[in-house]
Amino acid sequence: MWQTNLKILLVVLGTIGLYTWVASAIPQVASEVPEELMFSNDVTANDLVMAGEQLFAGAGTCTACHGLGTRAPNLLTDHAGEGTIGQRCGTRVSGLDCKAYLQASMTEPAAFVVEGFPEMVFQARAFSDAQIWSLVAFLQSQGGEVTVTGDDMERAADAADGTSAPAEPSGGSPVAASQTTDARVLLQENLCLGCHAIDGAGPPLGPNFDDIGGARTAEQIRKGILDPSADAAPGFDAMLGVMPATFGQSLSATQLEAIVTFLAARK
Amino acid sequence: MALTPAGLLAQAAEAANQSTVSIPAYGSFPAPGSRVAIWVAAQVHLFFAAFVLGVPMFAVVAEAIGIFGNDSKYDKLAKEFTRLLLVSYSATAIWGAILSFGLITLYPGLWNYLARIFAPSMWVYVGLFFFESFTLYLYYYGWERWHDGRAKLMHWSLGILLNVWGTAVMFIANSWLTFMMSPPAEVVPDTAPEMVRFWSAFANATWMPINVHRMIANVVFGGAIVGAYAAYRFLTSKTDEERAHYDWMGYVGNMIAIGALIILPFAGYYLGREIYEYNQQMGITMMGGFMSWLWIIQAFLIGVLFLAGNYYLWVGMGRIPGAERYMPYTKWMLVVLVLGVIVWATPHTMIANRDELAAMGGTHHPFLGVLGVMSAKNTAVNLMILTTFLSFLLYRRANKRTVVSWARTGTMIQTVIFVLAAAIVLFYGVYGYFVTAIVRIGFSVYQVLAVLAAIGGVVTLDIMIMRGAESYGAIRWGQMPPRSQYALFILAVTFTWLMGLMGFARSGIRQHWHIWEVMRDTSEFAATPPLGYAAQVISWCVVIFLGLVGFIFWVGSLAEKPIMSHRRQDSLPPTDSRLASAPTGN
């Protein structure tokens, strides 16, 4: 009897031990927490690049897609004969320099989709402004000149605090608040144009802003901003739930009315 | 509430003032720390919960076979399943309490946030748990009293009710944990819990996929544990009568486990697809990010399951007269299974640093990389499922001699169905290399449908072919070599370990978030550990669970021994072809 029990125990423990050993023998990859970055105004380009590289290869999980050549464009090596990301970033979008392009690519990934690849799944709201800027600096360093400075982060931080206008283009949180009542600036700041087209340009993920006043009343637009999940705009049922429901909290009443008035007038 | 602009603005202002998700406070736990304490409590609770939810499903089916097939052996088997359930119930509740108190004391911020959203469902959960417990007591203790006629049907209804309560309890608990994985899009860090719409949080994106996956997995797990219990009782049996009974019980447990395992990958596919639909970043983290190696371990474990399950069947054919004619095929089935495991466990696009990339000579291995893609893996796993189904079929037919005139034609049609299904699986597997990823993903649906259609078609034909079949002789229950029983232990340990691994995967893809992109984990344990560390914790959970289950079953057997010693002849397992065909409902 005891021999049978011993055999069973050995089989059970041996099986458990085998699985533990196999799982310990393969490459060990942990998911680190993105480090909270604090930079002073006189931060050096080298510090930013080092922090960005750490984030890129670690907690940012960028290498899960970039570098395989199938899920996303290569950044650290040549892509489509255009060189590394630092070499090609300044010419990707007309009117945007390298720094602005890289920063906007991360905060508005839907706006800059590289041909042949799906939209980047990077979630900007999961990262702080300092982390985004350090990534920009690292990517610039891959064949280009690093132009990110402490001022960029200071402007972004001020914008988030509401103490000054944000850096252009805005960085960091998609709901970074400012005091402006200029509807166009607010649409830009709140990343509305990441999904809604205006002036004939932009992604068609939400209702087009060029003629929205003809299709929706001011009341409907206001309700759509404050409680976007309550009802889908005609033809956009599939996108229900995508738009953040936070604008009632992040916009002041004056700002909200500025946007509503602006959009309602576009017929 | 009417949605007026003023009302909405007031609502928004109130939400902003109430503020929101503050940084959670954490308690402390001596070594090994809070995370491992909660991890172990949750996992062991889940092991017991899966067992007590899975077993009633097949206990009630076994009882139904006993009632409607007028076969008392199945009724006794159902009662024995339920007895195992009874003694495991308190352990489930104890570990649930440990988990709850652990969350309250070690993660009070998270607990508070969840309770503010889910409080109503928590009270319903408690009520259902109460009903479930007392229904179980009635079900078990009323077994002999309500044994005949309408009273028996009423008793069987109690079994169904037990499953209803249990399923509802599981669905509620699943809503809490899936909310942590996939909170609705409108919930952001600044959203006050009171502003979260209950149903939106409850029926979140991954809720139903997890419900479906867990229901099937619970049956698999319950079957495996019952199989191990039977194996232990077989090995320690004193009489041939006992040995025959537990041989049969082990066979039934294995049949349930492997049978449900065959459809589990399809539920897993549904869950994975919903995770990608919800958030691609989460999907990529799961399949191609830091967890990519986890799926290689999973493939290894499932390979062991397929091999051990089939091995048990092949050895079992030794006690079936007439099975000799099928034995030559087993070596070829073994070849298919081994090749399938090898392909399935081939890595492909792993996270690698520059040194590792240089060592590999690129992002993929020049030869093995071709086998590591989904086209090859889907093909391998579908062929493994077909092969395992073939094992079951041969086992089922082993001691039968057909009498219908068209039996030969029917068998040829079955063969054609098998070959066609395998050809479709292979065709889409090869074709997948020549199309884009999005098209390739769709191919897996065709492969799955081909296999399911083949299983359905072949079983239907087999039931018709075997109508009135004669027997080559009685199945010699109890005449199994002891090594076959160790395969059942390996199955149970592997299922348990696999559940722990998948628990880590499901929870780990949230990374440093308690609630994905809503509440950040700011504790010292926020980083998600590598697989080696996770494996150690999983192994401890498995040891604790199996140790406790062993003790509980031993305690249960103390009361049961006198019953076994007076077992009547009519309680012996069936010895003819009825048994081999029973699990398929024939």
Side-chain angles (χ1 to χ4, degrees):
Chain A
M1 179 77 161
W2 68 268
Q3 281 182 323
T4 303
N5 286 334
L6 186 64
K7 276 185 197 168
I8 293 169
L9 192 66
L10 286 176
V11 167
V12 169
L13 293 180
T15 308
I16 293 172
L18 173 69
Y19 297 154
T20 312
W21 175 76
V22 171
S24 303
I26 59 164
Q28 298 295 301
V29 187
S31 170
E32 298 296 338
V33 182
E35 192 182 345
E36 286 296 331
L37 299 176
M38 299 286 285
F39 295 117
S40 61
N41 202 32
D42 57 351
V43 61
T44 65
N46 196 38
D47 288 340
L48 286 168
V49 169
M50 282 175 61
E53 182 172 18
Q54 208 171 5
L55 194 57
F56 186 90
T61 65
C62 311
T63 51
C65 297
H66 294 286
L68 301 175
T70 51
R71 295 187 187 130
N74 290 326
L75 298 177
L76 312 188
T77 55
D78 174 67
H79 174 73
E82 295 175 348
T84 56
I85 186 64
Q87 293 169 326
R88 63 182 193 260
C89 54
T91 56
R92 284 280 301 129
V93 176
S94 120
L96 286 183
D97 64 15
C98 175
K99 180 169 71 175
Y101 165 71
L102 289 174
Q103 196 261 3
S105 297
M106 283 185 248
T107 53
E108 295 179 66
F112 304 108
V113 179
V114 176
E115 192 180 342
F117 294 98
E119 181 186 325
M120 186 167 73
V121 296
F122 183 84
Q123 303 289 314
R125 72 178 183 182
F127 294 87
S128 68
D129 291 317
Q131 287 167 332
I132 297 276
W133 282 117
S134 68
L135 280 171
V136 172
F138 170 65
L139 295 176
Q140 280 189 311
S141 75
Q142 301 301 304
E145 182 191 356
V146 179
T147 57
V148 180
T149 65
D151 291 342
D152 291 309
M153 274 165 281
E154 193 175 29
R155 274 198 294 274
D158 289 345
D161 293 342
T163 54
S164 74
E168 190 61 45
S170 66
S173 165
V175 289
S178 76
Q179 301 300 306
T180 183
T181 53
D182 183 325
R184 275 187 178 273
V185 174
L186 285 166
L187 293 177
Q188 176 74 24
E189 277 182 7
N190 288 281
L191 306 183
C192 310
L193 306 185
C195 295
H196 299 271
I198 194 166
D199 298 332
L205 302 178
N208 191 319
F209 282 166
D210 285 334
D211 54 4
I212 192 168
R216 313 280 279 176
T217 65
E219 175 72 21
Q220 287 172 321
I221 293 171
R222 187 182 295 106
K223 186 175 162 184
I225 295 170
L226 292 173
D227 192 11
S229 296
D231 190 21
F236 291 92
D237 293 333
M239 305 305 289
L240 195 64
V242 171
M243 181 167 156
T246 55
F247 296 115
Q249 297 160 44
S250 61
L251 295 171
S252 69
T254 311
Q255 288 173 323
L256 175 66
E257 288 312 308
I259 293 175
V260 171
T261 307
F262 173 76
L263 293 178
R266 296 182 70 84
K267 298 179 179 174
Chain B
M1 179 176 165
L3 283 175
T4 63
L8 283 165
L9 279 173
Q11 225 175 39
E14 189 189 350
N17 287 337
Q18 278 181 354
S19 176
T20 73
V21 187
S22 55
I23 296 172
Y26 297 100
S28 65
F29 191 87
S34 302
R35 174 174 58 190
V36 171
I38 284 292
W39 188 343
V40 171
Q43 191 59 65
V44 177
H45 170 61
L46 203 74
F47 285 148
F48 276 108
F51 181 69
V52 301
L53 289 173
V55 171
M57 291 190 206
F58 49 80
V60 87
V61 172
E63 189 182 10
I65 296 172
I67 295 170
F68 301 110
N70 201 22
D71 191 336
S72 64
K73 270 85 69 178
Y74 284 95
D75 190 68
K76 289 185 184 301
L77 185 70
K79 188 181 178 188
E80 189 156 12
F81 285 154
T82 311
R83 187 170 56 75
L84 301 181
L85 194 64
L86 195 77
V87 287
S88 304
Y89 227 74
S90 55
T92 311
I94 290 167
W95 281 93
I98 293 172
L99 173 61
S100 301
F101 294 140
L103 282 168
I104 292 166
T105 55
L106 302 178
Y107 291 86
L110 171 64
W111 177 261
N112 180 268
Y113 183 88
L114 291 175
R116 285 161 72 187
I117 295 173
F118 290 107
S121 64
M122 289 176 174
W123 288 112
V124 173
Y125 179 94
V126 171
L128 287 172
F129 195 71
F130 178 87
F131 288 129
E132 187 187 7
S133 304
F134 281 82
T135 304
L136 175 64
Y137 298 148
L138 280 173
Y139 187 55
Y140 180 72
Y141 290 111
W143 209 293
E144 299 304 328
R145 191 177 186 86
W146 300 313
H147 200 262
D148 300 302
R150 284 187 182 176
K152 183 61 178 169
L153 285 177
M154 189 274 289
H155 179 264
W156 181 57
S157 306
L158 281 174
I160 294 172
L161 197 61
L162 179 65
N163 279 285
V164 171
W165 297 139
T167 305
V169 163
M170 183 185 75
F171 277 25
I172 291 175
N174 285 351
S175 75
W176 308 334
L177 67 97
T178 52
F179 172 79
M180 292 167 67
M181 276 175 77
S182 55
E186 70 265 20
V187 181
V188 295
D190 293 328
T191 309
E194 288 75 13
M195 296 295 290
V196 178
R197 285 178 297 172
F198 175 80
W199 185 248
S200 164
F202 190 91
N204 59 77
T206 56
W207 179 58
M208 195 45 75
I210 286 274
N211 288 339
V212 172
H213 194 271
R214 280 195 163 173
M215 276 178 72
I216 300 170
N218 289 346
V219 175
V220 175
F221 186 65
I225 298 297
V226 163
Y229 166 79
Y232 179 77
R233 297 301 299 268
F234 176 93
L235 290 172
T236 55
S237 289
K238 298 280 194 296
T239 65
D240 289 344
E241 180 192 355
E242 273 188 57
R243 205 167 289 117
H245 173 73
Y246 287 112
D247 183 13
W248 180 57
M249 189 175 181
Y251 161 76
V252 174
N254 179 59
M255 175 73 98
I256 290 166
I258 299 295
L261 176 71
I262 284 176
I263 53 172
L264 195 57
F266 307 135
Y269 175 78
Y270 169 43
L271 173 60
R273 209 183 81 154
E274 289 303 312
I275 289 174
Y276 265 96
E277 288 275 321
Y278 172 74
N279 187 300
Q280 279 195 58
Q281 189 180 4
M282 185 184 271
I284 288 172
T285 298
M286 178 175 71
M287 298 305 294
F290 86 100
M291 280 202 169
S292 48
W293 276 102
L294 182 143
W295 305 103
I296 302 302
I297 305 295
Q298 188 215 32
F300 172 66
L301 292 170
I302 296 182
V304 172
L305 291 177
F306 273 110
L307 287 169
N310 278 280
Y311 172 77
Y312 176 82
L313 285 177
W314 298 335
V315 174
M317 287 166 80
R319 55 163 141 66
I320 305 178
E324 313 79 47
R325 64 193 194 279
Y326 294 130
M327 293 307 278
Y329 299 119
T330 55
K331 60 177 175 289
W332 299 111
M333 292 194 279
L334 179 64
V335 169
V336 173
L337 288 175
V338 170
L339 287 176
V341 174
I342 289 171
V343 171
W344 198 6
T346 303
H348 187 246
T349 47
M350 300 295 161
I351 286 189
N353 60 34
R354 291 180 192 205
D355 294 338
E356 287 163 344
L357 289 174
M360 251 193 306
T363 53
H364 313 140
H365 188 277
F367 172 67
L368 296 179
V370 180
L371 298 178
V373 296
M374 286 316 293
S375 279
K377 293 188 181 210
N378 280 340
T379 304
V381 75
N382 278 295
L383 292 178
M384 286 167 70
I385 289 171
L386 269 179
T387 306
T388 303
F389 171 62
L390 181 60
S391 275
F392 270 120
L393 195 73
L394 297 184
Y395 189 99
R396 176 185 143 81
R397 297 179 68 148
N399 78 330
K400 291 177 182 173
R401 183 186 291 114
T402 55
V403 293
V404 294
S405 59
W406 54 279
R408 191 176 172 79
T409 311
T411 304
M412 284 177 68
I413 295 171
Q414 285 180 311
T415 309
V416 169
I417 292 174
F418 262 111
V419 172
L420 264 179
I424 290 170
V425 168
L426 275 171
F427 170 76
Y428 281 110
V430 175
Y431 191 23
Y433 285 94
F434 302 98
V435 295
T436 59
I438 193 72
V439 177
R440 186 163 57 241
I441 288 166
F443 284 177
S444 59
V445 176
Y446 304 140
Q447 291 178 312
V448 165
L449 288 176
V451 171
L452 284 180
I455 291 174
V458 168
V459 166
T460 307
L461 265 176
D462 212 58
I463 291 169
M464 294 161 68
I465 293 171
M466 291 299 153
R467 191 160 289 162
E470 295 169 352
S471 172
Y472 278 101
I475 298 173
R476 298 182 292 268
W477 290 107
Q479 294 183 25
M480 275 285 262
R483 67 176 188 278
S484 63
Q485 304 303 303
Y486 292 102
L488 292 180
F489 284 113
I490 290 173
L491 278 172
V493 172
T494 307
F495 275 123
T496 312
W497 212 91
L498 184 59
M499 266 185 74
L501 183 71
M502 291 299 99
F504 169 66
R506 189 197 53 70
S507 181
I509 55 173
R510 283 186 282 112
Q511 297 175 282
H512 54 281
W513 297 93
H514 288 311
I515 300 167
W516 176 254
E517 294 191 347
V518 173
M519 181 184 277
R520 193 183 280 265
D521 184 346
T522 56
S523 72
E524 60 180 305
F525 303 111
T528 312
L531 260 178
Y533 181 90
Q536 290 176 32
V537 179
I538 293 164
S539 291
W540 277 113
C541 293
V542 173
V543 168
I544 292 169
F545 171 71
L546 292 179
L548 287 172
V549 159
F551 175 74
I552 288 167
F553 287 173
W554 174 72
V555 168
S557 71
L558 292 180
E560 185 263 348
K561 270 178 182 168
I563 301 170
M564 275 308 298
S565 63
H566 294 99
R567 182 176 287 277
R568 297 193 311 273
Q569 185 60 32
D570 70 351
S571 67
L572 281 171
T575 54
D576 59 18
S577 59
R578 280 178 303 161
L579 182 124
S581 62
T584 53
N586 187 12

